[in-house]
Amino acid sequence: MGEQIILTLQDKIALTRKYIEQVYARFGHHKVAVAWTGGKDSTTVLWLWKNLLKEKNVSVRPRALNLDTGLKFPEIIEFRDRIQASWQIELIIARPEKNLSSYPVARNKVACCQDLKILPLKKAVKAHAWAALLTGLRFDEHPSREKREYFEQKKDPDYVQVNPILHWREMDIWSYIMQENLPYCSLYDEGYRS
């Protein structure tokens, strides 16, 4: 059995930095957005992208796409709006076209995810002609993510989904948040993990 390489948090940050620099080199900033849920992972990615743009002397605000399904806790919306103003984020909010008062939320999880998340995301990516979307996906969140790639080509619309913190673990995220004194949603302090 081969030797497993253990990466320190600083190694993981450097690797993530390499990936987002590749995104910048390939797409610039005009055609890139961060898929930002308001959660700890995507907030970390947004912070890293924001700082890269600042280092590159890019004078535009970082762009973030937020999917508002209409079912989010008020604390998430408050956090999103507060950070958007504080960090000067160009925030695009995508909403589903379904009427939630009559929609059978979560009865069929696949259809619900498709209608409330995937379709609004695809519509926003297409409408803004983004070439890359940075996400906060981590491999340790679910077994289905273990085989994910850092750069995933998507079709209809055609864009690259970039997962720059795929190699981080949950404790890496919290360590980085504490190290950088990053804000996070108050629901985490109430015991929510996602």
Side-chain angles (χ1 to χ4, degrees), residues 58-114:
V58 174
S59 60
V60 300
R61 300 180 304 163
R63 186 175 300 107
L65 171 64
N66 181 262
L67 297 175
D68 187 348
T69 60
L71 302 169
K72 292 188 176 195
F73 289 107
E75 293 89 343
I76 296 170
I77 302 299
E78 182 279 325
F79 175 76
R80 177 198 70 193
D81 294 346
R82 180 168 43 89
I83 298 308
Q84 181 272 327
S86 172
W87 288 3
Q88 305 269 312
I89 304 300
E90 180 187 333
L91 183 63
I92 293 90
I93 300 173
R95 293 182 173 89
E97 295 180 357
K98 300 293 181 184
N99 179 349
L100 291 180
S101 64
S102 61
Y103 187 83
V105 174
R107 279 204 200 120
N108 178 330
K109 290 182 181 184
V110 172
C112 185
C113 184
Q114 177 76 15

Side-chain angles (χ1 to χ4, degrees), residues 123-191:
K123 184 176 179 182
V125 169
K126 187 174 187 174
H128 294 280
W130 293 323
L133 192 63
L134 297 162
T135 78
L137 292 181
R138 294 189 340 268
F139 79 92
D140 69 337
E141 290 178 288
H142 192 274
S144 67
R145 294 185 175 175
E146 289 178 3
K147 303 273 191 235
R148 300 292 295 261
E149 299 290 333
Y150 288 98
F151 293 85
E152 299 177 332
Q153 185 63 50
K154 300 292 183 178
K155 298 289 180 198
D156 191 31
D158 190 29
Y159 70 100
V160 177
Q161 179 177 309
V162 184
N163 307 310
I165 62 167
L166 198 59
H167 54 288
W168 293 39
R169 295 187 176 275
E170 184 176 15
M171 287 312 300
D172 296 324
I173 294 291
W174 284 115
S175 295
Y176 187 75
I177 286 171
M178 296 303 128
Q179 173 184 304
E180 297 295 318
N181 196 28
L182 296 182
Y184 57 88
C185 182
S186 62
L187 290 174
Y188 288 115
D189 291 332
E190 296 178 29

